[in-house]
Amino acid sequence: MYATIHRRKGEFLLSKGRILIVEDERKIARLIQLELEHEGYETGMAYTGTEGLAEFQEHDWDLLLLDVMLPELSGLEVLRRIRANDDQTPVILLTARDALPDKVSGLDLGANDYITKPFQIEELFARIRVWLRHPASASPAEQETAALQLGNLVVNEKTREVTRENEAIELTPKEYDLLVYMLQNNNQVLSFEQLLTNVWGFDYYGDTNIVYVYIRYLRKKIDAPFSTPYIQTVRGVGYMLKE
């Protein structure tokens, strides 16, 4: 059973955005809903993967909060089906603590962010604000920018095409986000904290493994097949993209 859009009784609020909560733990879902509505968001709820997918497809949403462990369809399967047709709506995964494989899989499938349970509601609000401002929700005209280039590596931000030596390179959404941020700041040393904050969209504490994992993925795709590596390690600090 789906929950409908809610507003506080007797009030007419200027909505900050429409957020769908897909979470099978009803107390958690209700708590998130109440907190979001108090902040001025419109909300909807679903308690299984099947219901969440149907609700997402039937209505327009500005952001999706999606639990990974759901009955009927897992959160990752819901995400996979959503991203087959929609690569714009921000998705924040709700994951179990230390579930790194689920986090990596979710990001590879196109999730924009994740938060581990239990979490502070203020942290969730901060991440929601980031992604409702994120370029993924901008209009096509706002997304149209010049290509980013370093040597023979080129990224067309309008089409999301990535090439090196005129060869197409297929990247996952999070690999693409990481590469774009590094290109925007090429020839600069980027710390782990900078990468986490600007690519994953929040001030993240712990689990810097996610940076190592995605740098390794990028190296395999944009460096390994070519004679000159662009991604350089700055030991003890972070990474630099340099020709």
Side-chain angles (χ1 to χ4, degrees), residues 58-213:
E58 290 172 8
H59 303 283
D60 292 327
W61 301 100
D62 297 311
L63 185 140
L64 172 62
L65 295 178
L66 179 63
D67 187 31
V68 171
M69 300 297 291
L70 291 169
E72 298 180 9
L73 286 177
S74 73
L76 295 183
E77 177 60 19
V78 171
L79 177 61
R80 185 189 69 79
R81 297 189 189 190
I82 285 173
R83 285 299 186 238
N85 299 299
D86 179 341
D87 62 358
Q88 296 298 310
T89 304
V91 177
I92 299 177
L93 295 179
L94 308 178
T95 71
R97 185 171 296 280
D98 299 327
L100 183 60
D102 283 344
K103 297 171 186 176
V104 173
S105 297
L107 294 170
D108 279 344
L109 287 169
N112 299 88
D113 201 347
Y114 61 82
I115 187 168
T116 55
K117 303 176 186 176
F119 51 82
Q120 297 294 320
I121 198 67
E122 291 81 6
E123 182 182 6
L124 179 60
F125 287 162
R127 300 189 193 185
I128 288 171
R129 288 193 296 268
V130 165
W131 288 111
L132 290 181
R133 295 194 306 263
H134 194 269
S137 62
S139 67
E142 292 170 324
Q143 293 182 31
E144 187 170 351
T145 59
L148 296 170
Q149 184 169 357
L150 178 70
N152 53 32
L153 175 65
V154 180
V155 174
N156 185 321
E157 289 190 279
K158 181 180 178 183
T159 62
R160 297 177 69 88
E161 293 175 321
V162 180
T163 60
R164 184 165 180 189
E165 295 182 5
N166 295 317
E167 293 184 19
I169 299 173
E170 295 294 327
L171 300 180
T172 66
K174 193 53 63 178
E175 290 168 357
Y176 174 86
D177 290 344
L178 176 58
L179 177 59
V180 165
Y181 179 70
M182 295 183 76
L183 276 170
Q184 290 170 338
N185 298 276
N186 63 64
N187 297 313
Q188 299 180 43
V189 178
L190 300 171
S191 69
F192 299 111
E193 290 75 17
Q194 284 176 289
L195 293 169
L196 286 166
T197 299
N198 290 281
V199 177
W200 278 264
F202 56 93
D203 293 326
Y204 184 85
Y205 300 98
D207 240 0
T208 54
N209 283 340
I210 203 74
V211 176
Y212 293 110
V213 168

Side-chain angles (χ1 to χ4, degrees), residues 21 28-41 43 121-122 124-125:
I21 305 159
I28 293 177
R30 180 59 176 160
L31 175 62
I32 294 172
Q33 181 188 43
L34 291 172
E35 293 286 356
L36 288 174
E37 290 179 0
H38 182 73
E39 289 296 307
Y41 296 98
T43 65
I121 198 67
E122 291 81 6
L124 179 60
F125 287 162

